[in-house]
Amino acid sequence: MMPNGYEMCWLDYKKHCDVDKNELSKWFSYICLFDPTDEFQVVKEELAIFVTDFLGFRPRFFKVFPKQGRHVLIGKLSDLPVEVNLDEQLSEEGFVLKYVKKQDAEFVIITGISAAGVLYGTFEFINRVRVGEDLRKLNVVSNPKIKLRFLNHWDNLDGTIERGYAGKSIFFSNNKILLNQRTKDYTRLIASIGINSVVINNVNVRHAALKLIEPAYLKRLSQLAQLFQRYGIKLFLSVSFASPIHLGGLDTADPLDERVKKWWKEKVKQIYDYIPNFGGFLIKADSEFNPGPHMYGRTQADGANMLAEALEPFGGLVIWRAFVYNCQQDWRDYKIDRAKAAYDIFKPLDGQFADNVAIQIKYGPMDFQIREPVSPLFGGMEKTNQILELQITQEYTGQQIHLCYLGTMWKEILDFDTFSKGNNSFVKRIIDGTLYGRKNNGIAGVANIGDDPNWTSHDLAQANLWTFGKLAWDPDEDVKKIVEEWIKLTFGDDELVVRNISYMLLNSREVYESYTTPFGLGWMVNPGHHYGPNPEGYEYSHWGTYHRANWEAIGVDRTSRGTGFTLQYHEPWRSIYDDIHKCPEELLLFFHRVPYNFKMKNGKTLLQNIYDLHFEGVEKVQEFIKLWDELEGKIDAVRFSRVKKKLQLQLEHAIEWRDVINTYFYRRTGIKDEKGRKIYP
Amino acid sequence: MMPNGYEMCWLDYKKHCDVDKNELSKWFSYICLFDPTDEFQVVKEELAIFVTDFLGFRPRFFKVFPKQGRHVLIGKLSDLPVEVNLDEQLSEEGFVLKYVKKQDAEFVIITGISAAGVLYGTFEFINRVRVGEDLRKLNVVSNPKIKLRFLNHWDNLDGTIERGYAGKSIFFSNNKILLNQRTKDYTRLIASIGINSVVINNVNVRHAALKLIEPAYLKRLSQLAQLFQRYGIKLFLSVSFASPIHLGGLDTADPLDERVKKWWKEKVKQIYDYIPNFGGFLIKADSEFNPGPHMYGRTQADGANMLAEALEPFGGLVIWRAFVYNCQQDWRDYKIDRAKAAYDIFKPLDGQFADNVAIQIKYGPMDFQIREPVSPLFGGMEKTNQILELQITQEYTGQQIHLCYLGTMWKEILDFDTFSKGNNSFVKRIIDGTLYGRKNNGIAGVANIGDDPNWTSHDLAQANLWTFGKLAWDPDEDVKKIVEEWIKLTFGDDELVVRNISYMLLNSREVYESYTTPFGLGWMVNPGHHYGPNPEGYEYSHWGTYHRANWEAIGVDRTSRGTGFTLQYHEPWRSIYDDIHKCPEELLLFFHRVPYNFKMKNGKTLLQNIYDLHFEGVEKVQEFIKLWDELEGKIDAVRFSRVKKKLQLQLEHAIEWRDVINTYFYRRTGIKDEKGRKIYP
């Protein structure tokens, strides 16, 4: 049973733009499908759903090549009865959408080298039809630039989701694996945005999850993997580095111990017996109380390579997270800087990791704050496969109560120039493999979905999932274009709808940042659940995330004169970040300890800027509400009022943020807002 | 199966002082027990355990009156074959211990009016024997001064204990009621200190606990109640005010609704069918998300009296907690003062409560902080039964990691003069019923025990349970005497052992206070679990517990010029608390907003005093460790090292407290310690 109000996000084909359906129907009455090896079942299914929902009739599929009329023509490039001239090389997962006229017949061709490519082409084709593109002008060759396009689910087997804000897990309940209509819909949804790799369980592998790689679970996982495979997706699992102890009865998980190696080899073989197309492991080791090779005096490379050796014969990968740091720091120790940890630990290992190991690196050196500099590790490892880890789920960014579109942030990260090999050493060129010439690179997003009827709780948070897929496919894509396409597919192409939602989305990250922790400050949240303001919530904790505000200044000096974090960057960043007058102001408090009376570029003090941003941020949320209200009647009532409620709650909580943060600084300094606005004393 | 290292605290009769056992044995070879109605089974059992463990032989009991020799003579006053002249009136639960010589025979008589009285006398007699008192000088008449001597257990049916720091529940596991050897030992333990009323389940009644008053549970509860009864104890239960909804299928719990009244009457009758000596209900209503009469626009008296009416025919009581306040306060609302809530709500209802209702009032107006003024409600209600609620479990007072003996604090509370009827209107005279002439008064302690082998995790925390019982029996008793008796019964009477432990216990509260939150500040703990320093942990929360520290001052002005809380006290307290120069300094920050540079009586500023106390507090813990170390070899190794470990952890955490609090104030003010000690910047 699907929950009340169940939706398929951008795949709801009944929603569409202003198109001439009669005219369009002509293309779909006769769909030619060339499928000699019977690989296109899901393509047929998807087109059937589309045509039925969109045009109102069930399409038929033929293998005979027609001589006249308009037709959709589908098949692998090698199987097509017409020649398709390509302007560009097709890659394994790429696709072609192309209009071809042949004598009296017109064709829109969807093709590719692989079934997955054809499926991706089908989704893209459907999207273009729905937004009313002229099919006779179709001429697209599209290849994914990034090889591994991952979703990471932090789902626990009891059905809870760590950092999940949209209900319970769709994969697990009561320690059982779910396989139902929703699983299938999920697969369609993520295939439609080009995801090809999925980790279904939490990186913190505990309790029942330890046993996921045991036969009792593997059997059912193999069914899930088969479903995934039909949509071009590989199943990965998070596993515990201590599995040989938990499951194998060994007294060690030392990666250099022969018994441990043997256990993993046998275990991997067993997994592949059940799941021949198994993707591999995601590992959170030596991190936040998870076991790892450091426990045995071994390096991260020792640990990863041991697993890699076991997976290699089967083509499996080890995705090894770089989120390793001392999470038992003493706040009184001013020498340790958590921001430096990943680079300090992994940089010296560059070149030591096996070819089927990829290091998965969080975008920033801390932990998914609303603004961080890009991790210097991206510019630091030339001989190591790298995966950029992003968080689609809004842990520190408003927990799907606040509107916080992340595409703009991700785009900044992808476009960040590390200067590791001179100009244009962009992060996106590292993870697409072109900069260092490595093969197993990728991008991973921690999923923001759960079993809520609309998948993401906040309807507009669907845009984050959509955008993640689009940027994973092509990190050079324009975010505004991505957003507009999503709006049209999701809410229709009314001009005001597109304009207002687009404005809201594209500005929402800066708005959230302004009323929470601007200038790279971060962390002023309640410990544990990470929601809502708590200016000193982490100040005396063991997590290593301090701002050390006193009566005159705030922030940690991470320059060469301080913790030395800036030295992990290539020039010119090193010098730029090192200089309080050159440092980009949005990162000022990340890199510098700054007096409240520091004059910023706009001539105002740091403190006055903090006050201003907090007042302005709330005003911006009020503006969002006004813009949303303008859409009443142009959007279905259910979603209109659901988003409205979220925005109202956001406003309430933005006011809370404003007042707490302003009061906090006022109580510190005794300096009033120069405009005399209300700050609680 | 008892856990490893299982102990019976002060009832371990193998531990004793330096006594002549041969001489003592003569008294116990022939115990005369007059028990015509067979009520003294547990007295016999206790004496049998005692003589066996202490003297090494099994005693025999006779009903024949001997003509010569030394004997223990036991029976109700009315059944004794000798006349006992009393210097004082015996009350129902009182007892007599008296040496009588009759011709050639010598007797030590244990007697009372009731079986419970005789049992209490037996425990007291055993204690006196163990510490070597001269039996020929015995001449004791002892009546409990306080009628209701309650333990409140905050045990949940899943086995967890809210604010429990000594393991799991001994009453519940997996939603089942436990009845085993430990239950019996528990009953002995608390009867030995005079407890006569027990609430076994958490005041927050949720989940399975809602069903405790259903037949499925009542059947087993009746067995527990029978066990309790043999030891003079009545079983009470915490119940949800919304039970008619949860269990009765009604759509309301409105206390004035006839269906609700009828439901409760039938429910109470059902309970008494199972448990004829059932004590009654403890109710947390309209408090921290628990339902109550306010939900229906009714008063607390409406709610309590409705239940009282149902219980009255059976002699049952309603214990109604006064812990009612707005726990959804906006920190920006400076007018609300949580400290005023109980008085504001209950004082106007004085005289309206039924005779079998008692209002249970926490000792302070906030919530069990290490130092609070006594709740003004005690001086505010002359026509209402009152129960003083104390916390034996160390929620805010160190969670049985820190040594924090609470007897000294309780003594201050009991000795507090409310001046409600002129001089000597002590709290202890309110709850012993003499001041206002009310009948159903009492004292309640939230228990500090769990299923740890030593019951309280910290061995020295047993002293708190012991002291609670002793003060409940006689609030005029001297704390030093109470402590010394406990030490002797628990660790023996080595002079150094008694001296050092006594010193540690009697000073521990002030030490804990000094390195945490002195001067009545309170609350600077981590939210939720309430352990460890977090100076602004509650500063922007909804709990109404703020200090509003800024760059120049700290504290809430609760005077007549502020929230007006001081006006709830009688003179002279009203004037004393209202005046920053007269206010007892240990409560300065509870009542006043005070600049850091305020000169205190010792000539130092408030800030310097805060620094000093924090440094000195840590030094005192170091002194405790030194004193404890002196006892090595004089105390059994298991307990010695267990306490040692606790003290070492306490030291570590005291240092953490010192550094966090000092740094917090230094960062606020920029003012250094005048003695130049280390404060982290």
Side-chain angles (χ1 to χ4, degrees):
Chain A
M1 270 282 290
M2 290 295 131
N4 258 348
Y6 182 67
E7 293 177 6
M8 275 305 289
C9 308
W10 54 85
L11 290 189
D12 184 347
Y13 299 140
K14 285 177 183 149
K15 296 200 179 71
H16 53 79
C17 301
D18 189 18
V19 294
D20 182 341
K21 287 196 184 180
N22 283 337
E23 196 59 24
L24 272 169
S25 294
K26 292 174 186 163
W27 292 95
F28 292 93
S29 56
Y30 192 102
I31 297 176
C32 310
L33 184 80
F34 292 90
D35 186 14
T37 52
D38 201 24
E39 291 177 277
F40 293 143
Q41 193 53 40
V42 298
V43 169
K44 277 171 75 175
E45 277 176 29
E46 198 63 38
L47 280 167
I49 298 169
F50 170 63
V51 177
T52 306
D53 285 357
F54 187 75
L55 296 172
F57 62 87
R58 278 200 68 79
R60 286 179 303 162
F61 296 89
F62 300 89
K63 282 187 204 161
V64 186
F65 189 67
K67 294 281 189 301
Q68 56 187 24
R70 302 181 199 164
H71 307 281
V72 177
L73 176 60
I74 303 170
K76 280 205 267 192
L77 202 54
S78 51
D79 297 328
L80 286 188
V82 283
E83 200 173 330
V84 182
N85 296 317
L86 300 179
D87 310 333
E88 205 181 316
Q89 186 84 27
L90 253 193
S91 70
E92 179 65 20
E93 293 179 300
F95 62 82
V96 176
L97 304 181
K98 198 174 172 82
Y99 169 80
V100 171
K101 189 163 185 205
K102 195 168 180 187
Q103 293 162 347
D104 286 343
E106 293 178 282
F107 299 99
V108 176
I109 295 171
I110 306 172
T111 189
I113 295 173
S114 67
V118 174
L119 179 66
Y120 294 140
T122 303
F123 279 118
E124 176 67 16
F125 172 71
I126 290 172
N127 290 347
R128 288 176 182 244
V129 172
R130 290 173 65 207
V131 301
E133 254 192 53
D134 183 348
L135 299 189
R136 291 198 172 91
K137 291 189 177 151
L138 269 188
N139 186 13
V140 177
V141 178
S142 181
N143 293 313
K145 291 187 180 151
I146 299 175
K147 180 177 171 186
L148 299 167
R149 303 179 300 280
F150 262 104
L151 279 189
N152 287 183
H153 291 269
W154 288 354
D155 291 19
N156 299 314
L157 270 67
D158 64 4
T160 59
I161 305 177
E162 185 161 331
R163 313 307 176 191
Y165 312 105
K168 295 271 188 180
S169 172
I170 61 161
F171 292 114
F172 306 106
S173 177
N174 283 320
N175 295 333
K176 291 201 170 58
I177 295 167
L178 302 174
L179 270 174
N180 51 36
Q181 180 60 39
R182 185 116 195 199
T183 326
K184 169 111 183 210
D185 286 346
Y186 162 83
T187 312
R188 288 174 57 210
L189 203 58
I190 66 162
S192 79
I193 53 172
I195 300 299
N196 65 1
S197 306
V198 171
V199 186
I200 59 169
N201 67 308
N202 190 353
V203 287
N204 293 311
V205 182
R206 287 172 199 143
H207 312 302
L210 289 164
K211 298 189 176 164
L212 267 184
I213 50 175
E214 293 273 85
Y217 280 116
L218 287 172
K219 203 167 164 190
R220 199 155 164 88
L221 285 174
S222 75
Q223 295 175 263
L224 180 62
Q226 282 167 34
L227 169 65
F228 278 5
Q229 186 172 23
R230 291 201 290 277
Y231 285 87
I233 297 164
K234 277 196 174 179
L235 173 69
F236 288 69
L237 293 174
S238 296
V239 296
S240 168
F241 194 77
S243 297
I245 297 170
H246 293 299
L247 305 178
L250 299 186
D251 57 3
T252 180
D254 181 349
L256 302 194
D257 187 295
E258 288 303 323
R259 295 167 301 157
V260 171
K261 289 183 185 182
K262 181 163 173 283
W263 186 86
W264 276 112
K265 279 180 181 163
E266 285 166 6
K267 176 50 72 183
V268 165
K269 187 181 174 313
Q270 185 184 50
I271 295 172
Y272 277 91
D273 283 346
Y274 282 94
I275 310 172
N277 66 327
F278 182 65
F281 297 143
L282 173 63
I283 314 268
K284 177 177 182 177
D286 291 315
S287 170
E288 296 179 342
F289 314 111
N290 288 283
H294 283 180
M295 293 169 64
Y296 305 98
R298 313 302 183 189
T299 69
Q300 299 294 297
D302 291 333
N305 291 344
M306 180 272 294
L307 293 173
E309 192 183 327
L311 285 158
E312 195 275 334
F314 307 94
L317 300 178
V318 175
I319 316 298
W320 190 272
R321 293 176 92 228
F323 189 54
V324 182
Y325 69 99
N326 175 8
C327 71
Q328 294 285 48
Q329 184 174 339
D330 190 323
W331 63 272
R332 290 163 291 204
D333 185 341
Y334 289 56
K335 293 197 195 96
I336 302 179
D337 180 1
R338 172 168 160 181
K340 294 171 69 180
Y343 186 96
D344 282 349
I345 292 165
F346 284 87
K347 161 81 180 167
L349 302 174
D350 190 28
Q352 294 184 27
F353 290 100
D355 279 344
N356 62 330
V357 173
I359 304 301
Q360 183 163 310
I361 307 164
K362 291 193 182 190
Y363 87 81
M366 295 298 277
D367 189 15
F368 296 134
Q369 301 304 293
I370 189 67
R371 177 89 60 175
E372 294 184 37
V374 169
S375 170
L377 200 49
F378 285 108
M381 297 198 297
E382 302 198 4
K383 291 168 263 172
T384 304
N385 297 315
Q386 289 171 57
I387 293 175
L388 168 66
E389 183 174 313
L390 303 170
Q391 222 182 18
I392 312 171
T393 192
Q394 292 171 237
E395 180 177 356
Y396 294 94
T397 54
Q399 304 201 353
Q400 277 135 267
I401 291 169
H402 298 249
L403 176 64
C404 190
Y405 175 70
L406 296 164
T408 42
M409 176 207 274
W410 297 337
K411 190 70 177 149
E412 283 171 16
I413 296 159
L414 292 163
D415 287 350
F416 179 77
D417 195 339
T418 66
F419 291 101
S420 66
K421 292 181 75 177
N423 281 357
N424 302 329
S425 300
F426 303 117
V427 169
K428 62 189 174 189
R429 293 292 89 85
I430 296 171
I431 61 169
D432 73 8
T434 55
L435 188 68
Y436 302 142
R438 308 273 328 157
K439 282 217 173 104
N440 287 313
N441 303 288
I443 186 166
V446 182
N448 64 344
I449 71 157
D451 71 354
D452 275 0
N454 68 347
W455 299 81
T456 55
S457 184
H458 198 312
D459 291 83
L460 302 186
Q462 293 171 9
N464 284 326
L465 183 57
W466 165 269
T467 301
F468 175 78
K470 292 288 156 181
L471 288 177
W473 187 274
D474 182 3
D476 293 304
E477 185 62 284
D478 177 52
V479 171
K480 188 162 193 293
K481 193 172 156 248
I482 291 173
V483 160
E484 286 181 356
E485 188 183 2
W486 175 76
I487 298 169
K488 287 177 188 169
L489 294 173
T490 308
F491 292 104
D493 63 351
D494 177 281
E495 200 189 326
L496 194 67
V497 168
V498 175
R499 195 198 314 146
N500 285 13
I501 298 181
S502 175
Y503 176 89
M504 290 166 69
L505 290 173
L506 294 172
N507 289 281
S508 57
R509 184 255 188 139
E510 273 71 19
V511 168
Y512 182 80
E513 181 184 32
S514 67
Y515 62 71
T516 58
T517 54
F519 304 127
L521 187 52
W523 291 110
M524 287 188 159
V525 291
N526 285 299
H529 59 68
H530 298 164
Y531 189 80
N534 190 336
E536 302 214 336
Y538 277 101
E539 204 48 32
Y540 303 98
S541 77
H542 55 87
W543 294 103
T545 55
Y546 318 114
H547 55 65
R548 302 201 175 99
N550 69 9
W551 70 97
E552 60 178 0
I554 186 169
V556 173
D557 182 355
R558 293 198 163 96
T559 69
S560 57
R561 301 164 300 283
T563 70
F565 171 63
T566 53
L567 302 175
Q568 296 184 344
Y569 288 91
H570 294 280
E571 289 290 8
W573 286 122
R574 187 185 291 191
S575 301
I576 290 171
Y577 289 148
D578 219 46
D579 184 340
I580 196 170
H581 298 291
K582 288 183 189 155
C583 179
E585 287 193 331
E586 67 271 18
L587 289 169
L588 187 65
L589 294 176
F590 192 95
F591 286 105
H592 296 274
R593 183 161 181 86
V594 186
Y596 300 119
N597 63 5
F598 177 79
K599 274 274 184 328
M600 297 185 68
K601 286 173 189 139
N602 61 9
K604 295 187 288 188
T605 64
L606 169 65
L607 183 66
Q608 188 57 44
N609 273 301
I610 289 173
Y611 288 157
D612 284 351
L613 284 174
H614 283 82
F615 285 112
E616 287 160 21
V618 168
E619 287 162 17
K620 280 285 192 185
V621 178
Q622 287 162 333
E623 186 195 2
F624 287 170
I625 293 177
K626 215 171 122 260
L627 290 173
W628 187 256
D629 281 343
E630 288 175 9
L631 308 184
E632 188 162 12
K634 289 172 179 287
I635 283 175
D636 58 281
V638 171
R639 289 191 295 173
F640 176 82
S641 89
R642 198 160 51 201
V643 172
K644 179 75 188 281
K645 275 184 196 137
K646 291 276 188 188
L647 289 168
Q648 282 165 331
L649 202 54
Q650 178 178 8
L651 177 61
E652 189 188 316
H653 294 179
I655 290 171
E656 172 80 7
W657 266 103
R658 176 195 71 191
D659 291 340
V660 169
I661 300 297
N662 284 349
T663 290
Y664 176 76
F665 284 108
Y666 174 69
R667 287 185 183 171
R668 286 264 146 192
T669 62
I671 300 169
K672 291 181 178 157
D673 172 46
E674 64 183 23
K675 294 180 188 151
R677 289 163 294 193
K678 175 76 179 175
I679 295 179
Y680 294 85
Chain B
M1 271 282 287
M2 290 297 131
N4 259 347
Y6 181 67
E7 294 177 7
M8 274 306 289
C9 308
W10 53 85
L11 290 190
D12 184 347
Y13 299 140
K14 284 177 184 149
K15 296 199 180 71
H16 54 80
C17 302
D18 188 17
V19 293
D20 182 342
K21 286 195 184 180
N22 284 336
E23 197 59 24
L24 272 169
S25 293
K26 294 175 184 163
W27 293 95
F28 292 93
S29 55
Y30 193 103
I31 297 177
C32 310
L33 184 80
F34 293 89
D35 186 16
T37 51
D38 202 24
E39 291 176 276
F40 293 143
Q41 193 54 42
V42 298
V43 169
K44 277 172 75 176
E45 276 176 29
E46 199 63 38
L47 280 167
I49 298 169
F50 168 65
V51 177
T52 307
D53 286 357
F54 186 74
L55 298 173
F57 61 87
R58 278 199 70 79
R60 286 178 303 162
F61 295 90
F62 301 88
K63 281 187 204 162
V64 185
F65 189 67
K67 294 279 188 304
Q68 56 187 22
R70 301 183 200 164
H71 309 279
V72 177
L73 175 61
I74 303 171
K76 280 205 268 191
L77 201 54
S78 51
D79 298 327
L80 287 187
V82 284
E83 201 172 329
V84 182
N85 296 317
L86 299 180
D87 308 333
E88 206 181 315
Q89 185 84 30
L90 253 193
S91 70
E92 179 65 19
E93 293 179 299
F95 62 83
V96 175
L97 304 181
K98 200 175 172 80
Y99 169 80
V100 172
K101 188 163 186 206
K102 197 169 178 186
Q103 292 160 347
D104 286 343
E106 292 179 285
F107 300 98
V108 176
I109 296 170
I110 306 173
T111 188
I113 295 173
S114 65
V118 174
L119 179 65
Y120 294 139
T122 304
F123 280 117
E124 176 67 16
F125 172 71
I126 290 172
N127 291 346
R128 288 176 182 243
V129 172
R130 290 174 66 208
V131 300
E133 254 193 52
D134 183 348
L135 298 189
R136 290 197 175 89
K137 291 188 178 153
L138 268 188
N139 186 13
V140 178
V141 179
S142 181
N143 293 311
K145 291 188 181 152
I146 298 175
K147 179 177 173 186
L148 300 166
R149 302 179 301 280
F150 261 105
L151 279 189
N152 288 182
H153 290 269
W154 288 355
D155 291 18
N156 299 314
L157 270 69
D158 63 4
T160 60
I161 304 177
E162 186 161 330
R163 313 306 175 191
Y165 312 105
K168 295 272 190 180
S169 173
I170 60 160
F171 293 114
F172 306 107
S173 177
N174 283 321
N175 295 332
K176 290 199 170 60
I177 294 167
L178 302 174
L179 269 174
N180 51 37
Q181 180 61 39
R182 185 118 195 197
T183 325
K184 169 111 182 211
D185 285 346
Y186 163 83
T187 311
R188 287 175 58 211
L189 203 58
I190 66 163
S192 79
I193 52 172
I195 301 298
N196 66 1
S197 307
V198 171
V199 186
I200 58 169
N201 66 308
N202 190 353
V203 288
N204 293 311
V205 182
R206 288 173 197 141
H207 312 302
L210 289 165
K211 295 188 179 165
L212 267 184
I213 49 175
E214 295 273 85
Y217 281 117
L218 286 173
K219 204 168 164 188
R220 198 153 165 90
L221 284 174
S222 75
Q223 295 174 260
L224 180 61
Q226 282 167 34
L227 169 65
F228 278 5
Q229 187 172 24
R230 291 201 291 276
Y231 285 87
I233 298 164
K234 277 196 174 180
L235 172 70
F236 288 69
L237 294 174
S238 296
V239 296
S240 168
F241 195 77
S243 297
I245 297 170
H246 293 299
L247 306 178
L250 299 185
D251 56 4
T252 180
D254 181 349
L256 302 194
D257 187 295
E258 290 303 325
R259 295 167 301 158
V260 171
K261 290 184 185 183
K262 181 164 173 283
W263 186 86
W264 276 112
K265 282 181 179 164
E266 286 167 3
K267 175 52 68 184
V268 166
K269 187 180 175 313
Q270 185 183 50
I271 294 171
Y272 278 90
D273 284 345
Y274 282 94
I275 310 172
N277 67 327
F278 181 66
F281 298 143
L282 173 63
I283 313 267
K284 178 176 181 177
D286 291 316
S287 172
E288 296 180 342
F289 315 111
N290 288 284
H294 283 178
M295 293 169 64
Y296 305 98
R298 313 302 182 188
T299 69
Q300 300 293 298
D302 292 333
N305 291 344
M306 178 273 294
L307 293 173
E309 193 183 326
L311 286 157
E312 196 275 334
F314 306 95
L317 300 179
V318 175
I319 315 299
W320 190 272
R321 291 176 94 229
F323 190 53
V324 182
Y325 68 98
N326 174 8
C327 71
Q328 294 286 48
Q329 184 175 338
D330 190 323
W331 63 272
R332 290 163 292 203
D333 184 341
Y334 290 57
K335 292 198 196 95
I336 301 179
D337 180 1
R338 172 168 159 181
K340 293 172 69 180
Y343 186 97
D344 282 348
I345 292 165
F346 283 87
K347 160 81 179 166
L349 302 174
D350 189 28
Q352 293 183 28
F353 290 98
D355 279 343
N356 62 330
V357 172
I359 303 302
Q360 183 164 309
I361 306 164
K362 291 193 181 190
Y363 87 81
M366 296 298 277
D367 189 14
F368 296 133
Q369 300 305 293
I370 188 67
R371 178 87 62 174
E372 295 185 37
V374 169
S375 169
L377 200 49
F378 285 106
M381 296 199 298
E382 302 199 3
K383 291 168 265 173
T384 303
N385 297 316
Q386 288 170 57
I387 293 174
L388 168 66
E389 184 175 314
L390 302 171
Q391 222 182 19
I392 312 171
T393 191
Q394 294 172 235
E395 179 177 357
Y396 294 94
T397 53
Q399 305 200 353
Q400 280 135 264
I401 291 169
H402 298 249
L403 175 63
C404 190
Y405 175 70
L406 296 164
T408 41
M409 176 207 273
W410 297 336
K411 190 70 176 149
E412 284 171 13
I413 296 159
L414 292 164
D415 287 349
F416 180 77
D417 194 339
T418 65
F419 292 100
S420 67
K421 291 180 76 177
N423 280 356
N424 303 328
S425 300
F426 303 116
V427 169
K428 60 190 174 187
R429 294 290 91 83
I430 295 170
I431 61 169
D432 72 10
T434 55
L435 188 69
Y436 301 142
R438 309 271 332 158
K439 282 214 178 105
N440 287 312
N441 304 288
I443 187 166
V446 182
N448 64 343
I449 70 156
D451 71 354
D452 274 2
N454 67 348
W455 300 82
T456 56
S457 184
H458 198 314
D459 291 84
L460 302 186
Q462 293 171 9
N464 284 326
L465 182 57
W466 165 269
T467 301
F468 175 78
K470 292 287 156 182
L471 288 177
W473 187 274
D474 182 4
D476 292 303
E477 185 62 282
D478 177 51
V479 172
K480 188 161 191 296
K481 192 170 157 250
I482 291 173
V483 160
E484 287 181 355
E485 188 183 3
W486 175 77
I487 298 169
K488 288 177 188 169
L489 294 173
T490 308
F491 292 104
D493 63 351
D494 179 279
E495 200 189 326
L496 193 68
V497 169
V498 175
R499 195 199 313 147
N500 285 10
I501 297 181
S502 176
Y503 177 88
M504 290 167 69
L505 290 173
L506 293 173
N507 288 282
S508 58
R509 183 256 189 135
E510 272 71 19
V511 169
Y512 182 81
E513 181 184 33
S514 67
Y515 62 72
T516 58
T517 53
F519 304 126
L521 187 53
W523 290 110
M524 286 188 160
V525 291
N526 285 299
H529 59 69
H530 299 164
Y531 190 80
N534 190 335
E536 301 214 336
Y538 277 101
E539 203 45 34
Y540 304 98
S541 77
H542 55 85
W543 295 102
T545 55
Y546 317 114
H547 55 65
R548 301 202 176 98
N550 70 8
W551 70 97
E552 59 179 359
I554 185 169
V556 172
D557 182 355
R558 292 197 163 97
T559 69
S560 57
R561 301 163 301 283
T563 70
F565 170 63
T566 53
L567 301 175
Q568 295 184 344
Y569 287 90
H570 294 281
E571 288 292 5
W573 287 122
R574 188 185 291 192
S575 300
I576 290 171
Y577 289 148
D578 219 46
D579 184 340
I580 196 169
H581 298 291
K582 290 183 190 158
C583 181
E585 286 193 333
E586 68 270 18
L587 288 169
L588 188 66
L589 294 176
F590 192 95
F591 285 106
H592 296 274
R593 184 162 181 83
V594 186
Y596 300 119
N597 62 5
F598 177 79
K599 274 273 182 331
M600 296 185 70
K601 283 170 192 143
N602 61 8
K604 296 187 288 189
T605 64
L606 169 65
L607 183 66
Q608 188 57 44
N609 272 301
I610 289 174
Y611 289 157
D612 283 351
L613 285 174
H614 283 82
F615 286 111
E616 287 160 21
V618 168
E619 288 161 15
K620 281 285 191 185
V621 178
Q622 287 161 332
E623 185 194 2
F624 287 171
I625 293 176
K626 213 170 124 263
L627 290 173
W628 188 255
D629 281 342
E630 290 176 7
L631 308 184
E632 189 161 13
K634 291 173 179 285
I635 283 174
D636 57 280
V638 170
R639 288 191 296 173
F640 177 82
S641 88
R642 198 160 51 200
V643 172
K644 179 77 188 280
K645 276 185 197 137
K646 291 277 187 186
L647 289 168
Q648 282 165 330
L649 201 54
Q650 178 178 9
L651 177 62
E652 188 187 316
H653 293 180
I655 290 171
E656 171 81 7
W657 266 103
R658 175 194 72 191
D659 290 341
V660 169
I661 300 297
N662 284 349
T663 291
Y664 177 76
F665 284 108
Y666 175 69
R667 287 185 183 171
R668 286 263 146 193
T669 62
I671 299 169
K672 291 179 179 159
D673 171 47
E674 63 184 25
K675 294 179 189 153
R677 290 163 292 192
K678 175 76 180 174
I679 295 179
Y680 293 84

